Amino acid sequence: MFPHEEKLIREKLGREPNDLEKAMLEVMWSEHVSYKSSRKWLKLLPTKNEHVILGPGEDAGIIKFDDKTWIVIGIESHNHPSAVEPYGGAATGVGGIVRDILCMGARPIALLDPIRFGPLEKEKNRYLFEYVVKGIADYGNRIGVPTVGGETEFDESLDNYTLVNVACIGIMRPEHLVHSYVTEPGLKLVIVGNRTGRDGIHGVTFASEELGENAEEEDRSAVQIPDPFTEKLLIEATLEAVYTGKVKALKDLGGGGLTCAASEMVGKRGFGAIIYADKVPLREPGMTPLEVMISESQERMLFAIKPEDVEELGKIFEKYELEWSVVGEVIEEPKFIVYWKGRKVAELPIELLTNVPTIEWPMKEYRIEEDVETPQISLEEAFEKVWRSPNVISKRWVWEQYDHEVQGRTVIKPGFDSAVLKINEEYGLAITADGNPTHCYLNPYHGAMGVVVEVVRNLVSVGAKPLALVDNLNFASPERPEVYWSFVETIKGLADAAKAFGLAYVSGNVSFYNEVVNKPVKPTPVVAGVGKVKLEKIPRGPREGDLIGLIGE
Amino acid sequence: MVKFAVVVFPGTNCDFETVEAIKRAGGKAERVWYKDSIKDYDGVVIPGGFSYADYLRAGAIAARQRIMEEIRELAEEGRPILGICNGFQILTEAGLLPGALRPNKIPRFLCKWVHLKVVDVRTPFTYLYEEGEVVRMPIAHAEGNYYIDDPSKVRIVFQYSDEKGSITEEANPNGSVLNIAGVANMEGNILGMMPHPERASHYFLGSEDGLKVFKGMVEWVRS
Amino acid sequence: MRWRVRVLVRLKEGLNDPEGRVIGNALRNLGYRVEELRVPKCFEFILESDNPEKDVEEMCRRLLANPLIHTWEYTIEEW
Amino acid sequence: MRWRVRVLVRLKEGLNDPEGRVIGNALRNLGYRVEELRVPKCFEFILESDNPEKDVEEMCRRLLANPLIHTWEYTIEEW
Ligand SMILES: Nc1ncnc2c1ncn2[C@@H]1O[C@H](COP(=O)(O)OP(=O)(O)O)[C@@H](O)[C@H]1O
């Protein structure tokens, strides 16, 4: 938190917050949770059209595939955690976005993993690459969600660092929609899944700062150990619970832990909550209410349930051998109150947690595009250079480690422009993800447009009609004027390109402070897109004798 | 109507598509949670996935659950029992099939399409194939390297081969003894296989070669 | 009685250990002169038992190891 | 000089250990009174080195463990 924000909080509260309150405010006011530097600009993105059922604002976006089928999509980054613990960081990144899809009431059916690293010549970068891929594989494979596409890119500017983005697609019936907010008081708040430990404490504040030189030793508490076994049980238990129609609201516990999940769930429509923090099942002895309230232990979900239905849903959780506990209730009064062993230990107005003022940083334009001379090398040499580049060669080594066939939907497998999933006997869903930091660095506006255009081209090339987009904006510190300018330019580019195609963004993610030892990453917007394709119409590879043509400039 | 149980352990993840494939093959199938009973079913399929997340050894913990005793009884009555991928691992760990499935020769998860030669067509699962027929199915596993001290203890049903049916080292994706991809007990009614026939049961998924495994099983029970 | 137990489960001689091979290669690539690297499975736990030897031996046979491919050894100390 | 080395890499106290939990449950289901089961990673190998302590310590830091989440210990014997 910045000093002016602390001052504002003191004024609004009329007193000094206690330690627990301060910790909760800190996570809620972090860049990662509050989007305070980006929220204003994200409004420029188009978010509505005839396909959109639910745009940005909840855990994932929803689009209509047909009258009986909705598609849910979201995207998330796990850059900082992956840079310090590539295996666990990447794996828990998968877990987080999968739960985001799940909490709309959808079954997760596919993952895409756009991932970026420094040059492979260096041992550290190879280590990051190998373990990020292994983390995604071990988690995605174990929960039975196929990773059907992605991107793998290597770039100088990412030396010692990594950008790990994961998009997830879900499928649902309209009648199973569950919102992430409550619309009535009196509901019980039930936590389900893993026990809460000390892991991930201050994770969001960690994600809202640059990495220092000795990140490893310092940031220990910010990593989590992935538990795909519990996640898989959570998926099945949650869906079974949702199908009863008795889940009134649902959120996963991600960044900001219980504080964030509970306050956002009740605060959105002006309600409040009482949390009995000592009722949260704990993994370690001696934990304090502060640790319980902001822990980011993975594989946990928060349900809002009518008191009379708690027992029935509890039986479902128990069938799947998951621990659950009633940890609080929704109240009329817009307050967030925490009890610990019968004693009130925190009380804040809910909007102080959920209504964080935006920040606008200074901007400075940069222009680095210039004419360059085409290098004078032979065609053979040029060909050789291009085909040897790690950015061009086949990524088979990556996607063969992913179970891209599980669930029995994968019609077009990895290795093509888009993957296609069979949705019913007639139609499929095409999905792809693209980014281009080199272009975006040279010209953020044009680069961002280029990314959208590439997504659209990739969808069209398997015969699909584009339906919707999601974006993940990976940037360095917004406090750098050039970075902030490039961020705003990027959004304008993303917006203009999408409008040109009549497309909307239904969900997204912003990740700032991607730098190591003061080296900012290039502006890296990543866009994922989905389209609808008639399975019979998918072009099935060229045959001998076919003619080759080139269209366009 | 012929009804199969598709057993679901914590971490099983190919249950839905396996039920689908059995239905496409003309049978009836239901997912059965591992704590429930399977006594009333005509046969059992243990589908793929990661029961207990593959912790310890793939299949080891599932193999020690109570339902395996019921499966053993059904097997002794001669009903067809099919284990696919993790199901195969569970069957060997439970001692219902001899041998063990060890980590792949390259110790990584590997998901790819392979060719298989059908070498034993006298089982309830394979009698619809021609002897020596070469079929295509995907594999997806990290521990599929079949080991057995004495191969004469099992009936070898599927072997990894090239597209012409030659059993070569290059065609062996995981290092298994004799390129073994699937084996049956001596009676032939228990089959374990690493490749996923349910993922090759629909034209749009790339092949229908796997459907005959389920068709065979369904028809065999029916007659 | 409570005991502190450590079990090591190794692949039988002659069975190759692909994971050990890969890690051994990785260490050699980093410049270390490492040979015959193996990755036994290790379990550490507290056991309450009147006959810990018998129990641990049985646990290995029944679950922790696969007698077809593994050998095992353990240490049991009073806790 | 040649050395026989065993390295044990453990998750730091307090970190979630799903594998240990699942295996511990499985043993309890079989009737054993087992607690706090953990599954450290174990590496056994022969090392040629003039300064084995330094080398092994370095190998742990660089590859075998992640200092962020692991602790390690090793035994080094002449071979
Ligand atoms: N990390 C990854 N995970 C899954 N699939 C990947 C990954 N990286 C690349 N792929 C797949 O490899 C193929 C080529 O990817 P890419 O090099 O981005 O292609 P293009 O440059 O044609 O967009 C695509 O099918 C893509 O989905």
Side-chain angles (χ1 to χ4, degrees):
Chain A
M1 245 187 307
F2 299 98
H4 77 270
E5 295 175 330
E6 286 176 16
K7 186 159 158 273
L8 188 68
I9 285 173
R10 266 195 305 273
E11 278 168 20
K12 288 204 171 173
L13 202 56
R15 65 177 166 90
E16 192 71 31
N18 66 30
D19 285 349
L20 169 58
E21 290 167 340
K22 210 180 278 170
M24 295 196 299
L25 287 162
E26 195 144 322
V27 295
M28 295 306 293
W29 286 54
S30 72
E31 183 62 54
H32 187 78
V33 170
S34 71
Y35 283 76
K36 57 191 175 190
S37 304
S38 58
R39 214 161 51 213
K40 168 179 171 184
W41 301 106
L42 292 174
K43 293 206 179 95
L44 298 177
L45 295 174
T47 58
K48 288 198 187 80
N49 66 21
E50 71 275 21
H51 307 300
V52 179
I53 302 285
L54 182 74
E58 294 194 45
D59 293 271
I62 305 182
I63 50 179
K64 181 168 156 178
F65 190 80
D66 60 39
D67 286 340
K68 286 185 303 200
T69 318
W70 288 355
I71 295 295
V72 183
I73 175 166
I75 191 164
E76 183 78 89
S77 62
H78 231 207
N79 304 333
H80 282 65
S82 303
V84 295
E85 215 303 270
Y87 180 82
T92 51
V94 173
I97 190 65
V98 164
R99 289 192 301 281
D100 279 339
I101 300 305
L102 182 61
C103 62
M104 306 312 302
R107 175 172 287 280
I109 58 169
L111 294 162
L112 299 169
D113 68 329
I115 48 179
R116 301 187 146 73
F117 306 90
L120 282 180
E121 286 75 28
K122 280 185 79 173
E123 174 195 329
K124 177 71 188 284
N125 296 327
R126 284 199 301 274
Y127 164 79
L128 289 171
F129 176 42
E130 190 171 329
Y131 282 89
V132 162
V133 169
K134 191 166 165 47
I136 294 168
D138 278 358
Y139 205 95
N141 296 353
R142 278 175 164 77
I143 61 172
V145 181
T147 306
V148 297
E151 265 189 305
T152 314
E153 198 182 11
F154 305 94
D155 190 282
E156 296 289 338
S157 71
L158 290 173
D159 192 24
N160 276 322
Y161 197 66
T162 175
L163 295 178
V164 176
N165 293 179
V166 185
C168 185
I169 316 287
I171 191 170
M172 68 186 291
R173 288 168 173 275
E175 63 268 30
H176 293 145
L177 175 65
V178 180
H179 285 291
S180 57
Y181 53 85
V182 301
T183 53
E184 57 188 312
L187 300 172
K188 295 288 180 193
L189 296 174
V190 176
I191 200 169
V192 184
N194 254 336
R195 291 191 171 197
T196 299
R198 288 197 174 89
D199 36 8
I201 285 175
H202 293 308
V204 291
T205 25
F206 165 64
S208 307
E209 286 163 9
E210 310 85 353
L211 282 188
E213 195 120 33
N214 273 328
E216 287 190 356
E217 307 290 339
E218 294 161 15
D219 300 321
R220 159 185 333 170
S221 64
V223 292
Q224 304 108 345
I225 306 297
D227 180 358
F229 180 60
T230 299
E231 180 99 347
K232 169 66 175 161
L233 294 170
L234 259 184
I235 293 174
E236 300 305 330
T238 300
L239 290 175
E240 205 167 310
V242 165
Y243 299 159
T244 64
K246 291 178 176 165
V247 178
K248 295 295 156 200
L250 186 55
K251 253 182 114 57
D252 87 300
L253 280 79
L258 182 56
T259 299
C260 178
S263 66
E264 288 186 353
M265 182 184 272
V266 299
K268 187 136 183 177
R269 291 285 161 94
F271 294 95
I274 297 180
I275 303 291
Y276 305 98
D278 52 315
K279 294 282 188 292
V280 175
L282 301 181
R283 203 175 58 229
E284 298 177 60
M287 285 182 64
T288 64
L290 188 153
E291 289 171 327
V292 173
M293 288 308 297
I294 65 168
S295 160
E296 293 182 10
S297 286
Q298 297 286 302
E299 292 95 14
R300 300 179 298 164
M301 300 283 274
L302 187 68
F303 286 71
I305 306 170
K306 284 209 159 108
E308 61 268 30
D309 296 330
V310 168
E311 205 177 320
E312 179 186 340
L313 296 189
K315 288 226 173 69
I316 295 177
F317 306 140
E318 279 160 27
K319 168 181 164 190
Y320 290 99
E321 291 153 47
L322 293 168
E323 277 191 83
W324 64 280
S325 171
V326 177
V327 297
E329 60 214 22
V330 183
I331 56 172
E332 190 88 58
E333 220 186 334
K335 283 191 166 160
F336 196 76
I337 301 169
V338 182
Y339 278 90
W340 180 256
K341 299 183 177 156
R343 217 160 47 83
K344 191 191 278 186
V345 288
E347 174 168 349
L348 292 169
I350 196 91
E351 85 275 355
L352 199 58
L353 287 164
T354 56
N355 248 345
V356 178
T358 56
I359 296 186
E360 230 177 283
W361 299 99
M363 284 186 241
K364 184 157 167 255
E365 183 176 341
Y366 69 77
R367 287 206 180 277
I368 47 174
E369 282 174 293
E370 50 183 90
D371 289 335
V372 287
E373 262 173 52
T374 314
Q376 294 296 319
I377 56 173
S378 69
L379 192 59
E380 287 79 19
E381 222 178 316
F383 186 82
E384 185 75 10
K385 264 210 152 69
V386 170
W387 281 101
R388 268 170 186 274
S389 158
N391 286 332
V392 172
I393 57 172
S394 165
K395 305 305 184 302
R396 179 182 292 271
W397 182 86
V398 176
W399 45 258
E400 273 189 351
Q401 295 186 57
Y402 301 152
D403 189 346
H404 49 263
E405 303 265 0
V406 65
Q407 295 195 19
R409 288 194 185 84
T410 318
V411 175
I412 300 289
K413 332 266 180 196
F416 297 91
D417 293 322
S418 294
V420 175
L421 303 169
K422 179 171 156 292
I423 299 297
N424 55 41
E425 291 300 310
E426 210 181 337
Y427 286 98
L429 187 77
I431 57 184
T432 185
D434 291 288
N436 189 340
T438 307
H439 191 187
C440 292
Y441 175 58
L442 284 174
N443 185 320
Y445 178 77
H446 284 155
M449 289 188 111
V451 170
V452 175
V453 175
E454 184 172 356
V455 166
V456 169
R457 276 200 312 264
N458 279 335
L459 292 174
V460 168
S461 70
V462 295
K465 180 174 163 31
L467 286 179
L469 306 170
V470 294
D471 63 295
N472 199 343
L473 308 177
N474 307 276
F475 282 76
S477 166
E479 299 164 40
R480 293 176 188 269
E482 289 89 355
V483 170
Y484 204 52
W485 174 79
S486 71
F487 177 75
V488 175
E489 287 293 294
T490 298
I491 292 189
K492 289 179 182 160
L494 293 177
D496 289 349
K499 283 179 192 155
F501 292 110
L503 287 168
Y505 296 88
V506 294
S507 188
N509 176 259
V510 180
S511 166
F512 278 127
Y513 299 98
N514 290 292
E515 15 193 298
V516 210
V517 205
N518 276 321
K519 245 180 61 211
V521 306
K522 291 174 182 169
T524 310
V526 170
V527 176
V530 295
K532 185 169 177 174
V533 54
K534 203 162 180 155
L535 293 173
E536 262 173 24
K537 294 281 166 64
I538 299 172
R540 289 286 183 163
R543 257 165 305 186
E544 208 178 310
D546 285 354
L547 298 178
I548 298 175
L550 184 65
I551 312 179
E553 279 181 42
Chain B
M1 194 175 174
V2 186
K3 197 168 76 173
F4 285 85
V6 174
V7 178
V8 183
F9 289 99
T12 295
N13 65 28
C14 303
D15 39 334
F16 288 101
E17 58 266 44
T18 302
V19 166
E20 244 354 87
I22 297 171
K23 287 186 182 157
R24 281 180 69 81
K28 214 176 140 192
E30 285 167 357
R31 299 166 62 240
V32 180
W33 186 239
Y34 78 113
K35 294 231 165 128
D36 299 335
S37 173
I38 48 162
K39 287 222 163 72
D40 299 333
Y41 291 87
D42 300 301
V44 178
V45 180
I46 311 178
F50 285 81
S51 59
Y52 299 92
D54 271 6
Y55 292 142
L56 188 57
R57 293 181 305 280
I61 299 179
R64 274 104 188 138
Q65 304 301 318
R66 203 214 67 243
I67 196 168
M68 295 309 294
E69 288 315 310
E70 283 191 16
I71 293 180
R72 195 183 304 274
E73 283 162 26
L74 291 186
E76 276 161 14
E77 288 170 20
R79 300 197 206 184
I81 313 288
L82 169 62
I84 301 166
C85 195
N86 192 229
F88 185 13
Q89 294 160 339
I90 294 169
L91 288 173
T92 57
E93 279 284 344
L96 283 162
L97 286 173
L101 289 147
R102 305 187 35 228
N104 296 350
K105 65 182 172 191
I106 298 171
R108 276 201 297 268
F109 190 92
L110 179 63
C111 179
K112 67 183 273 196
W113 283 73
V114 296
H115 289 97
L116 301 174
K117 184 168 173 174
V118 192
V119 284
D120 187 336
V121 293
R122 285 153 301 127
T123 77
F125 313 93
T126 50
Y127 65 92
L128 295 176
Y129 293 99
E130 307 278 325
E131 186 165 345
E133 187 177 339
V134 177
V135 297
R136 269 181 82 243
M137 291 181 206
I139 54 164
H141 59 249
E143 298 181 31
N145 180 349
Y146 185 70
Y147 171 78
I148 188 158
D149 44 1
D150 174 8
S152 71
K153 287 195 224 161
V154 287
R155 285 165 64 172
I156 299 173
V157 178
F158 294 107
Q159 281 174 298
Y160 301 109
S161 73
D162 65 17
E163 54 198 282
K164 298 214 174 68
S166 305
I167 311 299
T168 63
E169 200 176 324
E170 300 78 67
N172 186 339
N174 54 31
S176 66
V177 168
L178 298 173
N179 281 35
I180 287 174
V183 298
N185 61 341
M186 285 306 173
E187 294 73 27
N189 68 316
I190 308 180
L191 172 68
M193 61 190 298
M194 287 316 295
H196 285 270
E198 81 282 8
R199 298 182 185 186
S201 291
H202 196 294
Y203 163 74
F204 283 127
L205 300 180
S207 153
E208 294 194 324
D209 288 355
L211 202 54
K212 281 188 198 161
V213 169
F214 302 106
K215 276 196 176 140
M217 182 178 89
V218 170
E219 293 302 322
W220 189 81
V221 172
R222 192 171 281 153
S223 55
Chain C
M1 289 278 293
R2 283 160 73 81
W3 312 88
R4 173 156 208 95
V5 184
R6 176 188 295 164
V7 178
L8 282 178
V9 173
R10 296 195 179 80
L11 276 176
K12 281 186 179 162
E13 279 303 322
L15 290 181
N16 60 18
D17 175 0
E19 189 178 356
R21 195 187 63 230
V22 168
I23 297 172
N25 284 341
L27 286 171
R28 280 188 289 278
N29 277 342
L30 293 180
Y32 304 101
R33 278 164 298 165
V34 163
E35 275 163 53
E36 296 175 37
L37 190 136
R38 298 229 139 201
V39 200
K41 291 209 177 124
C42 179
F43 308 92
E44 294 178 332
F45 51 91
I46 310 292
L47 175 68
E48 182 153 348
S49 167
D50 298 332
N51 195 344
E53 305 274 336
K54 179 179 150 284
D55 275 3
V56 173
E57 183 64 29
E58 217 180 75
M59 284 156 71
C60 289
R61 270 193 188 279
R62 287 178 72 189
L63 183 69
L64 298 180
N66 180 346
L68 181 64
I69 52 174
H70 292 132
T71 61
W72 52 90
E73 67 177 50
Y74 39 83
T75 54
I76 302 178
E77 287 164 31
E78 245 178 89
W79 180 234
Chain D
M1 290 276 296
R2 283 159 74 77
W3 311 89
R4 171 154 212 96
V5 183
R6 175 188 297 164
V7 178
L8 283 179
V9 175
R10 296 193 181 82
L11 276 178
K12 282 186 180 162
E13 278 303 317
L15 289 177
N16 192 15
D17 178 5
E19 182 168 12
R21 193 184 68 229
V22 168
I23 297 173
N25 282 341
L27 285 170
R28 280 187 290 275
N29 276 342
L30 293 178
Y32 303 102
R33 278 164 297 164
V34 163
E35 275 163 54
E36 295 175 38
L37 188 135
R38 299 229 136 200
V39 198
K41 284 192 197 149
C42 179
F43 308 91
E44 294 179 333
F45 51 91
I46 310 293
L47 174 69
E48 182 152 350
S49 165
D50 298 331
N51 194 345
E53 305 274 335
K54 180 179 148 282
D55 274 4
V56 172
E57 183 64 32
E58 216 180 74
M59 284 155 72
C60 289
R61 273 193 184 276
R62 286 176 71 185
L63 185 73
L64 300 180
N66 180 347
L68 193 56
I69 53 172
H70 294 128
T71 60
W72 52 89
E73 66 176 52
Y74 37 83
T75 54
I76 301 177
E77 286 165 30
E78 246 178 86
W79 178 235

